[in-house]
Amino acid sequence: MRAGQQIAIVEAMKLMIPVTAQTGGVITGILEEDNEPVQFDEPLFSYSPE
């Protein structure tokens, strides 16, 4: 992934909110399952920086 690249979409109250990478790297794990509630600023992915 590259900094600024869209890596996910979060649905909140029928709004689709894009999630973008803040830094470049490789996603090494997904921390939340599909359709699970998440909180603001909660990590969704683990990654290894470039």
Side-chain angles (χ1 to χ4, degrees), residues 1-8 18-25 27 45 47:
M1 70 183 167
R2 298 177 312 276
Q5 178 181 1
Q6 182 176 327
I7 56 174
V19 177
T20 56
Q22 294 181 356
T23 61
I27 294 176
F45 303 99
Y47 73 98

Side-chain angles (χ1 to χ4, degrees), residues 1 23-25 36-37 39 42:
M1 70 183 167
T23 61
E36 291 294 318
Q39 299 294 318
E42 184 175 342

Side-chain angles (χ1 to χ4, degrees), residues 19-50:
V19 177
T20 56
Q22 294 181 356
T23 61
V26 176
I27 294 176
T28 58
I30 299 172
L31 305 177
E32 295 296 330
E33 295 296 321
D34 195 17
N35 292 322
E36 291 294 318
V38 295
Q39 299 294 318
F40 178 77
D41 236 8
E42 184 175 342
L44 304 176
F45 303 99
S46 60
Y47 73 98
S48 178
E50 284 186 317

